[in-house]
Amino acid sequence: MDEDCQALRTFKDLKLNTWLTDQCKTMGLTAPTLVQLNCIPPILEGKDCIGCAKTGSGKTLAFALPILQKLSEDPYGIFALVLTPTRELAFQIADQFRVFGKPIGLKDCVIVGGMDMMIQGKELAQSPHIIISTPGRLADHLESCNTFSLKRIKFLVLDEADRLLEGHFNEQLKTIFEALPKKRQTLLFSATMTQTLEELRNIAMTNPYFWSAPAAVA
Ligand code: ADP
Ligand code: MG
């Protein structure tokens, strides 16, 4: 992690609110990693964003911090949807959102397979601020008598986008994309830039800011 941090730049330089920089300090994070340094400012400016960097480079906070900041300024119902390929990743992402979102009373909801659909349906009906989900289970909810709407989300995040888009999830992603508003910010984070990601960039994103760690393009 050390080589990814730029000692001269702080979380404050990224125009993050004090309550968030305080949380970073409390969690022992002294400086943003490269992917955070490069992707947080354009996301705060309202841009779509693609960030490519290897595993362990801090991609979760690169999207979670700006989403939390925007949520704190404009709180309402379901604000962001984070899609990720595995349950384990969904829980890890939720943990980070919970830790950093505590000061604003963040309500999150993890929707993954292997858990009770009815209980999940009730959680979704309570309009959590953030849904973190694997595509299969969310598509199941959208296709059954759903009690929630994704029509007003502000952010869509595809985490581990290279893995999400490698084909296995295509049907479910189609169902989910149809339930989303056209006007939104789309954030795509990945360890590698693939052809499919390029295609998605063209169809689902608006002039995205693109940043890739030197190692990711080698
Ligand atoms: P990635 O999604 O790129 O694989 P993660 O977002 O899961 O990486 O982060 C990997 C680890 O690095 C996590 O334990 C996270 O808490 C930690 N981390 C994130 N940002 C920083 C930072 N700025 N300084 C130190 N550690 C960080
Ligand atoms: Mg990750």
Side-chain angles (χ1 to χ4, degrees), residues 1 5 11 29 31-33 36 54-61 96:
M1 183 59 64
C5 292
F11 284 101
L29 308 185
T33 65
Q36 293 160 4
K54 65 180 193 251
T55 301
S57 50
K59 294 189 289 296
T60 312
L61 292 182
Q96 298 214 38

Side-chain angles (χ1 to χ4, degrees), residues 6 12 54 142 176 216:
Q6 292 218 335
K12 278 211 172 74
K54 65 180 193 251
L142 289 168
I176 295 167

Side-chain angles (χ1 to χ4, degrees), residues 163-207:
R163 291 168 64 191
L164 276 178
L165 298 170
E166 64 194 10
H168 180 62
F169 294 117
N170 280 359
E171 281 304 307
Q172 292 103 325
L173 288 174
K174 192 164 168 281
T175 304
I176 295 167
F177 270 69
E178 280 167 5
L180 301 178
K182 293 261 176 306
K183 191 173 170 319
R184 60 165 194 256
Q185 260 179 274
T186 303
L187 314 179
L188 217 138
F189 284 86
S190 180
T192 53
M193 189 68 198
T194 62
Q195 184 59 36
T196 330
L197 250 86
E198 283 286 357
E199 285 160 20
L200 188 80
R201 178 208 314 230
N202 296 331
I203 55 165
M205 302 181 87
T206 313
N207 191 21

Side-chain angles (χ1 to χ4, degrees), residues 131-157:
I131 299 173
I132 302 132
S133 181
T134 46
R137 181 51 69 96
L138 187 66
D140 287 348
H141 278 282
L142 289 168
E143 279 167 349
S144 62
C145 52
N146 69 63
T147 50
F148 65 104
S149 167
L150 298 176
K151 275 286 168 228
R152 292 184 66 219
I153 63 154
K154 292 277 175 96
F155 284 96
L156 168 67
V157 181

Side-chain angles (χ1 to χ4, degrees), residues 71-85:
L71 174 65
S72 73
E73 290 163 357
D74 181 18
Y76 69 80
I78 303 177
F79 189 79
L81 169 64
V82 180
L83 294 174
T84 192

Side-chain angles (χ1 to χ4, degrees), residues 16-38:
L16 286 168
N17 291 340
T18 314
W19 70 268
L20 274 169
T21 57
D22 285 350
Q23 281 297 96
C24 292
K25 210 189 283 174
T26 307
M27 295 308 295
L29 308 185
T30 46
T33 65
L34 275 181
V35 69
Q36 293 160 4
L37 193 60
N38 284 280

Side-chain angles (χ1 to χ4, degrees), residues 34 63 94 109:
L34 275 181
F63 61 81
C109 177

